[in-house]
Amino acid sequence: MSDLPPPTAEPGNAEVELSTIPAAGPLYRRAAIGLAPGFGPARRAARLPDQELVVRGVTVDRDHLTGYDRVCGFRLADALPPTYPHVLAFPLALRLMSAPEFPLPLVGLVHVANRITVHRRIDAAEPLDLSVRAVDLRPHERGRQFDVLCTASVGAEVVWRGVSTYLRRERGAAESTARRERGGTESAGRDQSGDRPAPPAPSALWRVPPRVGRDYARISGDRNPIHTSRIAARLFGFPRPIAHGMWSKARCLAALEGRLPDAYEVEVAFKLPLPLPGTVAFHATPAWSFGLHDARRGRPYLVGVVSI
């Protein structure tokens, strides 16, 4: 998928080993306080930190896993869902991106794409070594992008990899693009003739209630208020809270559960915010492409593909 570039390695990253996974709440508070005049860094770095955060021997809390399965629609099982290591490693990514020296402020970053490679089935009883680093800060027509690379290993064996691409919208970007990302224009998804292509025939219709934002925030640690608060969502240009992109991806993969092999790659592009509440159409093809779109207007929220 052209929306998700391949990861670019940056040699020489210094490994920083932490004794435990950090708590997400204080990191969000630090990021929010850093926006206040006089509290943020006087000048941000021009490049990504040469740093890789590592936590070894992370064990899975079965109650937490059960809660995650229920919020995202996975069956209760001993094998980890393909998106679950992302949740385990997310606080590490949050610590990296909320640091004062990080070149872009955490608040305002948009998660635009995600790729996951599952190398084998991961049993919930296996302790995992998790590592996170940021790479490839690059210009984009709407601002700047970078990738966060996450790895889960069992001993010396890499069993899972994730690549999340984030965008920071900056001045000079086209206004129409910003409106499209907020769902405020009808141009999204149209072809060159100005007509919107007909969306794929839905395999299912899902009613997504408002509590999905709160439930996923609680279980994932991703407590960005645009997912839980109407006031915060409006401050960032959304008429109401929006679903987490990684919840949308997990919910799609839960619908494919039982058909996926033990090893595969799945990548998605997050096209438009999914407003809460909402009714979405899920579609999947035998060729392993899938997606979510607005059930009434056909606007795309997510497009994805599984490679085996």
Side-chain angles (χ1 to χ4, degrees), residues 7-280:
T8 301
E10 292 191 355
N13 280 20
E15 183 178 292
V16 177
E17 186 167 339
L18 306 179
S19 60
T20 187
I21 297 290
L27 297 174
Y28 269 120
R29 288 193 291 273
R30 180 173 73 178
I33 292 172
L35 292 179
F39 286 89
R43 186 174 183 180
R44 289 190 177 270
R47 54 175 293 175
L48 295 169
D50 295 328
Q51 190 177 87
E52 182 174 26
L53 302 183
V54 178
V55 177
R56 304 189 190 280
V58 176
T59 57
V60 172
D61 182 308
R62 296 298 184 118
D63 289 338
H64 183 267
L65 176 60
T66 297
Y68 180 84
D69 287 340
R70 287 176 173 157
V71 169
C72 298
F74 290 105
R75 295 176 300 191
L76 303 184
D78 289 330
L80 298 187
T83 46
Y84 190 71
H86 173 89
V87 169
L88 293 178
F90 179 74
L92 287 176
L94 200 58
R95 171 163 173 164
L96 194 68
M97 294 187 290
S98 64
E101 64 271 18
F102 201 79
L104 301 173
L106 175 66
V107 177
L109 291 178
V110 181
H111 192 184
V112 295
N114 176 267
R115 177 171 65 247
I116 286 172
T117 304
V118 180
H119 291 287
R120 68 160 171 83
R121 179 185 184 274
I122 307 173
D123 192 276
E126 295 182 281
L128 298 174
D129 295 341
L130 302 175
S131 66
V132 168
R133 60 193 173 104
V135 301
D136 196 17
L137 180 63
R138 56 196 183 272
H140 185 274
E141 62 182 1
R142 288 173 282 168
R144 283 182 288 174
Q145 279 188 341
F146 64 95
D147 299 323
V148 173
L149 311 186
C150 302
T151 301
S153 304
V154 176
E157 178 190 12
V158 174
V159 295
W160 181 95
R161 293 184 190 273
V163 183
S164 290
T165 300
Y166 291 92
L167 168 70
R168 172 73 181 185
R169 289 197 293 261
E170 296 175 330
R171 292 184 182 226
E175 262 184 61
S176 60
T177 303
R179 286 198 302 270
R180 183 171 68 246
E181 293 234 339
R182 296 195 299 266
T185 177
E186 285 299 309
S187 65
R190 294 187 185 277
D191 59 23
Q192 293 182 351
S193 69
D195 296 326
R196 187 190 306 282
S203 307
L205 293 177
W206 298 336
R207 178 67 178 169
V208 186
R211 69 172 186 273
V212 161
R214 298 189 298 271
D215 290 348
Y216 189 82
R218 172 182 51 81
I219 206 70
S220 69
D222 186 350
R223 297 183 180 274
N224 188 329
I226 63 172
H227 304 297
T228 58
S229 165
R230 184 179 291 269
I231 294 175
R234 285 178 174 172
L235 287 174
F236 283 89
F238 305 108
R240 56 188 193 268
I242 60 174
H244 295 74
M246 289 303 294
W247 175 85
S248 300
K249 180 173 184 175
R251 183 65 186 89
C252 290
L253 292 176
L256 299 174
E257 199 172 18
R259 289 182 275 171
L260 296 172
D262 287 342
Y264 57 93
E265 183 174 272
V266 55
E267 55 181 303
V268 302
F270 303 116
K271 293 295 189 179
L272 289 172
L274 194 169
L276 299 173
T279 300
V280 299

